[in-house]
Amino acid sequence: MVVDLLWFTTMVVESPDIPDEVAGAFVAIAHRVVWATVATVDRRGRPRSRVMHPLWERTEAGLTGWVTSRPTPLKVAHLGRTPFLSCAYWDPQHDVAVADCRAGWVADPEERARVWELFRAAPPPLGHDPAAIWPDGPAAPDAGVLRLDPWRVRAATAAEIAGSGPVPTWRWTNG
């Protein structure tokens, strides 16, 4: 494990395992804010942003994000060429959370159904019933599930950003 203090305000931990304090702080902000600005990269290497509604699941492997979304030709092309995206959360108190992830469409019908149930079981406003958008369920042709596997996670309160403490950041350079 390497701990690096950058500019005296950021603490970077490089490890295959996300520390509980970083994952917990990230999930707390992300699930409170709910909506993330998600950026992919187009065929010319330019960022393209949209607003999405990820749900983050703590697992033995660390942290996994899930998004129900239409697999539009644009999203499919972006992720097919560059299978990475960035999710950024911000709230009016200036708390922020960012996850840079490898992303891929989930094909397995059982996993898609399980993710739908995760969204249905989560309390509002994070939780919702995807059937309101896709009445035919997770097998509907225009229903997609994206899996997000973070390789870098950062979460900070306004006080941490203002410099009263280090901003915990985790990254897995092999991710």
Side-chain angles (χ1 to χ4, degrees):
M1 180 184 339
V2 176
V3 177
D4 186 7
L5 294 177
L6 302 174
W7 304 106
F8 304 106
T9 60
T10 301
M11 179 181 70
V12 178
V13 177
E14 290 185 6
S15 166
D17 302 315
I18 185 169
D20 286 339
E21 63 273 9
V22 176
F26 172 82
V27 170
I29 293 170
H31 284 185
R32 179 170 39 87
V33 174
V34 178
W35 294 96
T37 301
V38 177
T40 56
V41 178
D42 75 8
R43 64 185 170 85
R44 295 164 101 183
R46 301 173 301 193
R48 176 71 182 262
S49 299
R50 69 217 14 102
V51 176
M52 298 181 98
H53 185 164
L55 181 147
W56 296 91
E57 181 180 31
R58 299 289 302 270
T59 66
E60 286 184 22
L63 187 63
T64 303
W66 302 103
V67 180
T68 55
S69 179
R70 287 184 176 86
T72 63
L74 190 61
K75 287 181 213 158
V76 169
H78 286 188
L79 294 174
R81 183 176 187 278
T82 307
F84 296 96
L85 57 74
S86 184
C87 296
Y89 297 87
W90 172 86
D91 75 5
Q93 293 82 29
H94 302 294
D95 295 347
V96 296
V98 177
D100 297 324
C101 307
R102 175 176 285 282
W105 296 100
V106 176
D108 179 54
E110 289 179 13
E111 185 71 345
R112 291 164 55 101
R114 186 187 77 77
V115 169
W116 275 49
E117 289 307 314
L118 283 176
F119 275 98
R120 288 172 45 138
L126 178 66
H128 65 93
D129 186 356
I133 301 168
W134 297 281
D136 294 334
D142 69 334
V145 173
L146 273 175
R147 177 185 171 124
L148 312 178
D149 293 303
W151 60 269
R152 181 181 179 274
V153 172
R154 182 173 193 239
T157 64
E160 290 166 333
I161 294 168
S164 66
V167 175
T169 302
W170 166 82
R171 73 176 166 223
W172 176 233
T173 55
N174 292 343

